[in-house]
Amino acid sequence: VVPMTIMINLLATIAWLATFILIGLRLRQRLQGQPVQYHYLLQVSWLAALLLQGMSVFYNLWHEPGLYLSFTMASSPIMWLCNLLLFIANLKRPLETLVLFILPFTLSTMLIAGLEDRPTNLLNLNDGLGLHIFFSLLAYSMLAIAALLALFLAWQNRHLHNHKPSGLIRTLPPLLDMEALLFQFIMAGVVLLALGLLTGGFYVDDLFAQHLAHKTLLSILALFVFSTLLYGHWRYGWRGRKAIHWTLSGFILLMLAFFGSKFVLEFLIS
């Protein structure tokens, strides 16, 4: 199994690097006003990278008879889902620029996952735990992309106010399209996060005995922040800086809930 995982990780890394180079070439052509080429080659490379990384995530996480989802391993499926969601979103909008910024994190999570020791504590996927993990990881991925979009929106806003849109900023979709996409990801993330919290209730017997109180509280607070933003956008037209600040605040709470709780449990309490 070990040689197989190393080979898959190596092939996935090569595919992601090829995707990175192709995106860079396409963005350079766009900035220079040249015809943008390599579309189908990029699709093939991107899909191959997703397939290979997905296999790597499966081999690293699934160990009979359960799932290994440690602090270091948890980021691997989230990054894979982020790349998959961006691939789907990129079919309608030019979001290749965002991929350039998350690929270094993708490769680092693959490297860390490949160096992880063989697991000893596995999660038994019963009593709704499998659904809880699925909804939660998908929600984290959706809202992670929303946070990335918020950062790019802040970047766009600053350049537009300075009347100096240059460089990679010119390869992004228009500001209004970016904002619309931001709220679409937040809406989907809120629904999935709510489902994750509901399905998590099926296997929780004692929040404090299972060390889940702080994780649950922070997740509920994050859900409240994102839901408030959606309501404010619908009712009062919140957008721009207010939307950016609320999005980043909710994402910080969510990451504290997920990674913070895992860090405390695995490195401090254990």
Side-chain angles (χ1 to χ4, degrees):
V1 176
V2 174
M4 176 66 74
T5 56
I6 292 174
M7 180 60 68
I8 291 173
N9 278 338
L10 179 60
L11 291 174
T13 301
I14 293 172
W16 276 126
L17 289 175
T19 303
F20 186 92
I21 292 169
L22 287 169
I23 290 174
L25 290 173
R26 284 170 56 82
L27 294 181
R28 180 182 174 185
Q29 290 169 347
R30 193 174 298 160
L31 288 171
Q32 293 179 348
Q34 301 174 357
V36 181
Q37 301 174 331
Y38 313 119
H39 174 73
Y40 292 109
L41 189 58
L42 173 62
Q43 301 301 309
V44 171
S45 175
W46 200 337
L47 279 173
L50 283 170
L51 177 63
L52 290 164
Q53 188 190 359
M55 293 171 62
S56 173
V57 168
F58 177 81
Y59 275 118
N60 287 321
L61 265 63
W62 178 255
H63 299 267
E64 190 67 33
L67 195 71
Y68 181 53
L69 204 63
S70 66
F71 174 79
T72 52
M73 279 292 186
S75 57
S76 185
I78 291 176
M79 292 309 303
W80 180 77
L81 284 169
C82 284
N83 284 301
L84 176 62
L85 293 170
L86 279 178
F87 175 81
I88 296 170
N90 189 66
L91 296 176
K92 290 188 175 181
R93 296 178 178 85
L95 296 173
E96 297 167 9
T97 308
L98 277 67
V99 182
L100 290 182
F101 286 83
I102 69 169
L103 272 183
F105 298 101
T106 300
L107 295 177
S108 62
T109 57
M110 288 173 55
L111 176 62
I112 293 170
L115 297 175
E116 183 91 359
D117 293 331
R118 186 164 182 81
T120 54
N121 52 331
L122 300 176
L123 294 172
N124 191 7
L125 303 183
N126 55 14
D127 299 327
L129 182 57
L131 275 177
H132 167 68
I133 291 174
F134 172 75
F135 286 134
S136 298
L137 290 178
L138 201 51
Y140 297 148
S141 304
M142 288 279 188
L143 295 170
I145 294 178
L148 182 63
L149 285 167
L151 291 173
F152 273 90
L153 275 170
W155 189 24
Q156 277 184 306
N157 271 319
R158 191 184 70 178
H159 277 263
L160 288 174
H161 288 153
N162 293 335
H163 305 288
K164 294 179 181 179
S166 59
L168 286 176
I169 199 73
R170 292 192 287 120
T171 65
L172 293 171
L175 192 65
L176 291 178
D177 285 354
M178 289 282 283
E179 279 195 345
L181 190 61
L182 169 71
F183 284 105
Q184 288 171 15
F185 271 104
I186 292 175
M187 174 68 79
V190 163
V191 172
L192 290 164
L193 184 57
L195 288 172
L197 287 167
L198 287 173
T199 51
F202 290 116
Y203 77 96
V204 175
D205 298 319
D206 188 327
L207 281 174
F208 294 96
Q210 293 174 256
H211 306 291
L212 295 172
H214 52 292
K215 178 182 179 180
T216 304
L217 177 60
L218 287 169
S219 296
I220 292 173
L221 285 174
L223 182 63
F224 173 77
V225 168
F226 284 117
S227 300
T228 303
L229 171 57
L230 288 175
Y231 178 77
H233 177 66
W234 169 74
R235 184 69 178 82
Y236 303 109
W238 290 0
R239 53 190 297 271
R241 290 183 179 179
K242 184 168 288 188
I244 292 167
H245 292 156
W246 278 80
T247 302
L248 295 178
S249 298
F251 181 70
I252 290 170
L253 285 171
L254 198 61
M255 289 301 99
L256 285 174
F258 189 62
F259 289 105
S261 62
K262 280 192 169 293
F263 179 81
V264 170
L265 286 173
E266 294 180 22
F267 294 97
L268 299 183
I269 294 178
S270 297

